Amino acid sequence: MKNEMTLAFDSISENEGFARVAVAAFVTQLNPTLEEVADIKTAVSEAVTNAIVHGYPDGVHTVVIRARLNEQEAELWIIDEGVGISDIKQAMEPLYTTRPEQERSGMGFMFMEAFMDLVEVQSSPGVGTTVYMKKQIRQGVGRQEG
Amino acid sequence: MSTMELKGNRLVVHLPAELDHHCTEDLRRNIDRWIQEEPIQELEFDFSRTVFMDSAGIGIMIGRHKMMTALDGKVIATHMNVQIQKVLKLSGIEKYISFYKEETV
């Protein structure tokens, strides 16, 4: 199975739920387990929230998600053209947050890394950020019928 | 929608179906008003209706844990599904917050 999709939406928090559900629905074509679907939803929610909160702190802009299914592998790109990250290593450290006053837990990247097989971040200040994530969808075990 | 229920000095927060960054602002304001206005000793996060939570929910829980500790109170969490249990476990907050699959009282 090979399939691709691109989704573009406004950087407003209402779309966090929409984005994770849309990606989950697309990945369903690989017949994932409920746990794999939940993992992907959580990772997408974290990346999209980062794009909305940190990528675009001012005003409404566009967040893009690309998804590619290839055999049993799901690849995702969450893309913003916002402020970018100057120190990616620091941003990905568990518990690091630029916004402690908003009670952000600083666990976003930690969750993405825990729930996906691979997470890579490309970012340039003033250009934007792309989070690339990959997950292998297992075959056979605990499969839902239908 | 989240709803609040006061049982003696315990505030039960019935959390919404999806607990993400989108709903945290309202939820936090709502809980904090109750904590300021009532003599609450125990804060219960009830996940009965919640099917999804990400790190935004963890942020809320850690913040409320700090508030309740300052008041010599405590925070508990109940009725979590498998996804939420996984997120809670990963976050490490079980060091501070007691988890119950069923209601305690």
Side-chain angles (χ1 to χ4, degrees):
Chain A
M1 137 80 70
K2 281 190 205 297
N3 197 0
E4 285 194 34
M5 70 104 173
T6 303
L7 194 65
F9 52 89
D10 282 355
S11 62
I12 57 174
S13 64
E14 282 81 353
N15 283 331
E16 292 158 6
F18 163 70
R20 63 177 175 260
V21 169
V23 172
F26 185 69
V27 172
T28 298
Q29 297 171 29
L30 297 182
N31 203 13
T33 61
L34 292 178
E35 187 181 5
E36 287 165 340
V37 172
D39 288 353
I40 288 171
K41 279 172 80 171
T42 310
V44 169
S45 193
E46 299 295 350
V48 169
T49 302
N50 278 353
I52 292 172
V53 173
H54 301 289
Y56 296 125
D58 301 309
V60 177
H61 305 274
T62 303
V63 179
V64 172
I65 298 180
R66 279 187 56 215
R68 183 163 68 195
L69 309 180
N70 190 2
E71 304 303 331
Q72 283 306 110
E73 190 173 81
E75 292 177 291
L76 305 172
W77 292 260
I78 289 86
I79 305 157
D80 71 67
E81 296 181 339
V83 298
I85 303 167
S86 51
D87 188 340
I88 296 173
K89 190 172 175 292
Q90 183 184 49
M92 292 181 78
E93 276 170 17
L95 308 183
Y96 176 79
T97 176
T98 53
R99 315 219 167 182
E101 78 287 356
Q102 289 181 14
E103 292 184 348
R104 304 270 297 150
S105 66
M107 294 179 187
F109 278 117
M110 186 180 96
F111 281 15
M112 290 180 233
E113 287 178 326
F115 292 131
M116 302 295 282
D117 298 334
L118 178 69
V119 178
E120 286 174 356
V121 180
Q122 280 191 332
S123 190
S124 306
V127 179
T129 302
T130 296
V131 175
Y132 169 75
M133 304 191 281
K134 189 164 79 168
K135 190 176 182 70
Q136 199 72 26
I137 304 301
R138 288 166 299 171
Q139 260 177 323
V141 191
R143 196 116 335 262
Q144 302 284 310
E145 293 303 322
Chain B
M1 265 298 278
S2 59
T3 55
M4 309 286 158
E5 187 183 353
L6 197 57
K7 289 183 176 174
N9 59 7
R10 176 155 55 119
L11 178 67
V12 184
V13 182
H14 301 287
L15 295 163
E18 309 252 326
L19 179 44
D20 63 4
H21 159 255
H22 174 60
C23 73
T24 50
E25 192 77 34
D26 280 348
L27 182 60
R28 178 166 40 233
R29 204 180 308 122
N30 219 332
I31 296 172
D32 290 359
R33 207 179 58 218
W34 278 88
I35 292 177
Q36 281 155 17
E37 291 174 2
E38 302 289 337
I40 290 159
Q41 281 301 299
E42 189 172 281
L43 178 64
E44 176 182 340
F45 284 104
D46 171 20
F47 286 90
S48 302
R49 295 189 300 219
T50 311
V51 293
F52 178 85
M53 178 174 78
D54 64 15
S55 72
I58 300 295
I60 286 252
M61 293 177 79
I62 292 172
R64 304 292 79 59
H65 161 71
K66 287 179 184 164
M67 285 180 86
M68 291 307 293
T69 302
L71 296 167
D72 283 327
K74 64 168 184 169
V75 175
I76 65 168
T78 57
H79 306 110
M80 298 79 71
N81 74 12
V82 175
Q83 187 262 344
I84 290 160
Q85 286 176 38
K86 197 171 169 181
V87 165
L88 287 171
K89 200 173 169 62
L90 191 63
S91 75
I93 64 170
E94 52 198 329
K95 278 182 289 206
Y96 313 109
I97 293 172
S98 306
F99 299 153
Y100 302 96
K101 283 177 189 168
E102 303 303 326
E103 211 157 347
T104 49
V105 182

